[in-house]
């Protein structure tokens, strides 16, 4: 059983009351509880967002990506269960096991199906905004990534469960992540499989299936063999790090950062000897990686901007047609000032002409492309890039992306396109 759209179904006052009750029962001071509730009200009631040209305020529920959302939803569900679930006579009589992970609920029911459906209808009738969806089966049921089965003797067994739409989304081994992170993924996934699969005869098959997924993501075979052998064994308990005075060295991850880390640790004794009274310098710093910007950060924007076309001039000078440097990037020296763009190999011509908004007509693809007033040029060495149309909408039209097709030479432009039509 699961809750339909739990995060967006919690009314503010009920969620705040449940959170306040949980904080008060935890033994926190009155000042601490009041501060947390004030901050929670700020997060809930000032949750506004911009779509197209209008600002909206979320009047019910909390944002899906908010850091407070899981704890807020758990506090609300805890209050709901203590008030309406645990006190139900049918729950006390027919429920042998009850587990919940945020909005997903797993329980073992010993009563009849009619009593179970009546119990489900009762839960749905308490709050109109809070509705439960129930799935039941006398032999097997899935919960998160676990499939629970009951055999003929009434014994339960667990197996790994994957949705039909599941795809191999494991981190690629060539991804720009710390090596320790990439090497630890097989160990964690194999350990997860070994903990979930209870049948020792099925376990080798599930481990091999997981190993195949890692091979598709280009993980070395020797790493997979080593971690797969260790998976059925319980992982060693690492000693807890009791040091709290280590200086955090937070940096954006780069493949060369391990060399920097070795240099810092090698010469850290200089700081320790120069400042013996500073306890934070007694141990080397704690190296922390910050995720570097990726392609998604560059392409995806929360604010898509206005969808209404505008011809408002944003510069003091008249619009210029043609190609010219923006004077704000390292590629400006490679820009050829002209009113047309010529392919270096095929001599195909793309002519820029004046319209109510800046437009370039491409004679190659026969698309009329509205571009921004300032066009930045970048150099792609030894590759030919052709224009391809993508259905991703950005601002007032279609996004054009540059796609590598074949080897060539030359300078090509790479720019977000604001409108594209035939």
């Amino acid at each position: 059983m699961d809750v339909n759209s739990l995060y967006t179904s919690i009314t503010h006052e009920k969620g705040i009351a449940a959170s306040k009750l949980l904080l008060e029962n935890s033994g926190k001071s009155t000042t601490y509880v009041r501060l947390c509730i004030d901050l929670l009200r700020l997060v809930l009631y000032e949750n506004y967002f911009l779509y197209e040209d209008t600002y909206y305020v979320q009047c019910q529920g909390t944002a899906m990506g908010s850091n407070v959302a899981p704890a807020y939803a758990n506090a609300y569900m805890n209050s709901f269960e203590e008030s309406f679930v645990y006190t139900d006579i049918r729950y006390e009589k027919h429920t042998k096991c009850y587990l919940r992970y945020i909005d997903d609920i797993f329980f073992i029911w010993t009563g009849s199906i009619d009593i179970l459906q009546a119990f489900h209808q009762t839960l749905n009738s308490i709050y109109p905004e809070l509705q439960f969806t129930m799935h039941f089966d006398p032999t097997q049921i899935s919960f998160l990534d676990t499939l629970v089965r009951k055999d003929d003797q009434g014994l339960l067994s667990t197996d790994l469960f994957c949705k039909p739409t599941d795809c191999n989304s494991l981190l690629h081994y060539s991804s720009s992540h710390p090596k320790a992170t990439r090497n630890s993924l097989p160990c964690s996934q194999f350990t997860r499989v070994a903990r979930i699969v209870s049948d020792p005869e099925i376990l080798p098959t599930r481990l091999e299936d997981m190993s195949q997924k890692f091979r598709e993501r280009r993980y070395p075979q020797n790493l997979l063999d080593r971690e797969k052998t260790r998976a059925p064994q319980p992982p060693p308990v690492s000693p807890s790090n009791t040091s709290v005075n280590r200086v955090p060295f937070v940096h954006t991850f780069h493949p060369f950062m391990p060399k920097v880390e070795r240099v810092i640790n090698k010469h850290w004794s200089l700081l320790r000897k120069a400042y013996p009274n500073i306890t934070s310098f007694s141990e080397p710093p704690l190296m922390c990686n910050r995720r570097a910007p990726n392609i998604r950060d560059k392409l995806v924007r929360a604010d898509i901007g206005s969808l209404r076309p505008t011809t408002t001039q944003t510069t003091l000078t008249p619009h210029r047609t043609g190609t010219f440097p923006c004077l704000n990037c390292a590629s400006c020296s490679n820009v050829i000032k002209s009113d047309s763009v010529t392919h270096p190999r095929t001599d195909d011509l793309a002519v820029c002409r004046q319209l109510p908004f800046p437009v370039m007509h491409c004679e190659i693809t026969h698309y009329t492309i509205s571009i921004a007033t300032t066009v930045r040029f970048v150099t792609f060495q030894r590759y030919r890039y052709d224009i391809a149309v993508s259905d991703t909408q950005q601002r007032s039209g279609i996004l054009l992306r540059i796609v590598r097709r074949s080897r060539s030479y030359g300078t090509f432009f790479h720019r977000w396109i604001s409108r594209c039509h035939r």
Side-chain angles (χ1 to χ4, degrees):
M1 186 164 60
D2 62 336
V3 185
N4 299 334
S5 304
L6 174 60
Y7 287 164
T8 57
S9 301
I10 306 174
T11 58
H12 291 342
E13 293 304 322
K14 293 177 183 177
I16 292 174
S19 302
K20 184 178 180 180
L21 180 62
L22 186 65
L23 288 172
E24 291 175 346
N25 294 336
S26 64
K28 300 296 183 180
S29 63
T30 305
T31 305
Y32 181 87
V33 174
R34 187 183 302 112
L35 175 62
C36 291
I37 296 303
D38 290 342
L39 293 176
L40 182 59
R41 289 183 179 275
L42 179 65
V43 172
L44 296 177
Y45 285 97
E46 302 299 330
N47 181 26
Y48 64 91
F49 59 93
L50 174 66
Y51 180 74
E52 295 183 2
D53 302 311
T54 307
Y55 282 93
Y56 296 88
V57 176
Q58 187 171 351
C59 300
Q60 178 175 297
T62 180
M64 295 290 292
S66 176
N67 293 333
V68 76
Y72 177 70
N74 269 325
Y76 176 76
M77 286 301 300
N78 177 73
S79 175
F80 180 86
E81 290 169 342
E82 291 182 349
S83 301
F84 304 106
V85 178
Y86 302 150
T87 57
D88 194 292
I89 187 63
R90 290 163 293 189
Y91 169 85
E92 297 177 356
K93 185 177 180 180
H94 301 292
T95 303
K96 297 300 182 182
C97 175
Y98 185 90
L99 304 173
R100 178 179 58 83
Y101 181 76
I102 306 181
D103 59 344
D104 293 312
I105 304 172
F106 172 84
F107 60 94
I108 299 177
W109 186 266
T110 59
S112 63
I113 297 179
D114 295 337
I115 299 177
L116 176 62
Q117 292 177 344
F119 177 67
H120 176 227
Q121 294 176 359
T122 301
L123 295 180
N124 284 337
S125 62
I126 296 174
Y127 294 142
E129 69 275 2
L130 193 66
Q131 297 296 308
F132 294 82
T133 300
M134 184 178 63
H135 303 278
F136 61 91
D137 192 281
T139 57
Q140 66 178 19
I141 196 70
S142 62
F143 179 67
L144 301 178
D145 61 346
T146 304
L147 182 65
V148 182
R149 292 192 181 98
K150 186 183 73 172
D151 58 13
D152 298 336
Q153 300 178 357
L155 300 178
L156 299 180
S157 63
T158 56
D159 194 3
L160 193 66
F161 174 76
C162 296
K163 294 182 178 181
T165 57
D166 180 63
C167 61
N168 190 359
S169 58
L170 294 172
L171 182 69
H172 201 281
Y173 196 73
S174 63
S175 180
S176 182
H177 283 72
K179 187 177 181 180
T181 301
R182 289 176 284 141
N183 290 342
S184 65
L185 289 180
C187 177
S188 62
Q189 292 300 312
F190 288 146
T191 303
R192 181 176 69 91
V193 173
R195 288 175 176 174
I196 292 177
V197 180
S198 60
D199 191 347
E201 297 180 357
I202 303 178
L203 179 58
T205 303
R206 298 293 181 260
L207 291 176
E208 181 59 28
D209 294 341
M210 183 61 67
S211 181
Q212 178 60 29
K213 291 184 177 181
F214 278 108
R215 280 194 292 268
E216 294 175 357
R217 308 300 285 175
R218 299 296 187 266
Y219 279 73
Q221 186 63 40
N222 57 350
L223 174 63
L224 299 179
D225 293 339
R226 182 177 71 250
E227 300 300 337
K228 186 167 58 174
T229 305
R230 297 167 49 187
Q233 305 173 0
V237 179
S238 58
S240 59
N241 185 10
T242 57
S243 178
V244 295
N245 294 325
R246 297 183 64 183
V247 178
F249 182 73
V250 183
H251 58 85
T252 302
F253 173 74
H254 191 275
F256 291 155
M257 285 310 299
K259 298 182 179 180
V260 177
E261 180 179 357
R262 287 194 294 267
V263 172
I264 293 176
N265 292 333
K266 179 180 178 180
H267 300 286
W268 191 258
S269 59
L270 299 177
L271 275 176
R272 184 171 59 250
K273 295 178 181 178
Y275 304 97
N277 297 329
I278 302 179
T279 58
S280 299
F281 291 163
S282 60
E283 297 184 24
L286 182 64
M287 308 300 292
C288 305
N289 294 315
R290 183 192 300 113
R291 183 178 65 83
N294 53 23
I295 298 178
R296 179 180 180 180
D297 297 333
K298 300 296 183 181
L299 301 184
V300 178
R301 294 290 183 271
D303 179 17
I304 64 174
S306 175
L307 297 183
R308 293 179 298 182
T310 177
T311 58
T312 304
Q313 183 171 338
T314 58
T315 60
L316 297 178
T317 59
H319 288 300
R320 291 186 293 174
T321 59
T323 62
F324 51 88
C326 66
L327 304 179
N328 194 30
C329 68
S331 302
C332 288
S333 59
N334 299 323
V335 175
I336 302 176
K337 296 182 179 180
S338 175
D339 59 353
S340 62
V341 178
T342 304
H343 195 281
R345 293 286 297 275
T346 63
D347 293 333
D348 292 324
L349 186 65
V351 182
C352 300
R353 53 193 177 88
Q354 181 67 44
L355 282 182
F357 43 85
V359 169
M360 182 187 71
H361 181 70
C362 181
E363 302 292 346
I364 305 173
T365 59
H366 303 290
Y367 280 99
T368 301
I369 306 167
S370 169
I371 60 179
T373 304
T374 303
V375 180
R376 296 185 179 181
F377 283 67
V378 293
T379 303
F380 300 90
Q381 298 179 356
R382 308 181 69 86
Y383 290 104
R384 172 185 172 187
Y385 286 75
D386 293 337
I387 297 177
V389 179
S390 172
D391 58 358
T392 305
Q393 292 189 359
Q394 292 289 337
R395 294 190 177 276
S396 59
I398 304 297
L399 160 70
L400 296 189
R401 53 187 173 89
I402 305 300
V403 182
R404 188 178 71 184
R405 303 298 296 176
S406 61
R407 291 181 177 271
S408 181
Y409 300 89
T411 303
F412 296 90
F413 63 88
H414 187 190
R415 177 70 178 178
W416 288 111
I417 308 302
S418 61
R419 183 187 298 270
C420 173
H421 56 86
R422 291 185 180 274

